[in-house]
DNA sequence: GAATTAAGGATATATCATATCCGAAAACCG
DNA sequence: CGGTTTTCGGATATGATATATCCTTAATTC
């Protein structure tokens, strides 16, 4: 049960977008080069963010991506689900129904007890991600990343934003 | 990020094993037929449980599997990790290190801030599973499954246990 | 000795993540 | 206007992994 690497990429890209000056766009190319990622494939992750309305786009030179909402209005779960999908990690195939001792038309009132427990764990995972906002990440990063690296990173990135 | 179907199989099989009379073994064949699963492949899941010391085995006719510990001493996480592995769902490839603005030998003191958050969610998932014991599942099942089906299931299964 | 069983290696197949390429439409710039 | 840059989506290729089956070996029962 491993998350797509695009989840990691999307989170790091959102952190960068959150630190951009108001209104500025950043292209796939710039984000890919900053993180050392394959441009064409990273593009798919960014498209997922766009479809989830987490980012806005514009075309042409000086085009690219920017956040559609303030970083405090975006949580981790939104980003993760945008690229990973909203499906639960445990899928119940209802194998209890194969029990030969069950009467033919027997219909269960509740979902499987095993599935309920697995889905509860899934919800705990989602709750944790839902509670962390993108702005929290940006706060942590600006504390932990040395100020000069932090600053030069955005200079580097803005130079590529036209 | 989908769990293996063997996780579902292992959980249901453990629930059955937990309801067996003290000391009795149940074969792969019986468990496969009860759940309508491919015998050879289910066998791999049961082998995983065996390697994790959650079940004991014996060979020959009337052989098979039984729990190695009382159901109250086995939690969901143990079963899930036995077949799914203990790896975290989020793997950090440290893409921040690709940032061209970082000095050459720069060494981060802490693991990546993104990874720390994702791992925290992972821990919440594990904590939930750790808190649920196999005996809890058995309790729920014996409440919810109609008594006659519950009873005939074990008669059916014991007939196949030699 | 014959039948049954778990264990594990080898292999085949299917599904999905990863990755690349291309064309279309939109935006910018001369 | 025409050329460049960009996002977007479709098509396709590749690699890894889940799923599934088969077979051999050793242990156990009768």
């Amino acid at each position: 049960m491993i998350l797509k690497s695009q989840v990691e990429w999307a989170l790091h890209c959102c952190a960068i977008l959150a630190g951009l000056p108001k209104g500025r766009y950043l292209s796939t190319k710039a984000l890919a080069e900053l993180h050392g990622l394959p441009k064409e494939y990273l593009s798919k992750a960014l498209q997922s963010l766009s479809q989830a309305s987490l980012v806005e786009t514009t075309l042409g030179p000086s085009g690219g991506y920017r956040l559609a909402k303030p970083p405090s209005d975006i949580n981790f779960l939104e980003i993760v689900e945008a690229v990973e999908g909203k499906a639960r990690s445990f899928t119940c195939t209802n194998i209890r129904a194969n029990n030969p001792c069950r009467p033919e038309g027997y219909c269960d009132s509740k979902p499987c007890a095993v599935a309920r427990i697995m889905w509860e764990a899934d919800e705990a995972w989602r709750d944790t991600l839902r509670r962390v906002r993108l702005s929290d990440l940006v706060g942590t990063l600006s504390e932990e990343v040395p100020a000069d690296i932090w600053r030069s990173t955005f200079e580097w990135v803005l130079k590529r934003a036209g």
Side-chain angles (χ1 to χ4, degrees), chain A residues 5 28 38 42 48 51 69 79 98 102 120 131 136-137:
Chain A
S5 55
T28 306
L42 173 63
S48 298
Q51 284 168 357
K69 302 187 280 186
I79 300 171
N98 297 323
R102 289 183 167 233
E120 187 189 331
R131 275 195 286 269
D136 298 328
L137 173 64

Side-chain angles (χ1 to χ4, degrees), chain A residues 25 96 125:
Chain A
Y25 291 91
R96 61 179 175 170
W125 180 76

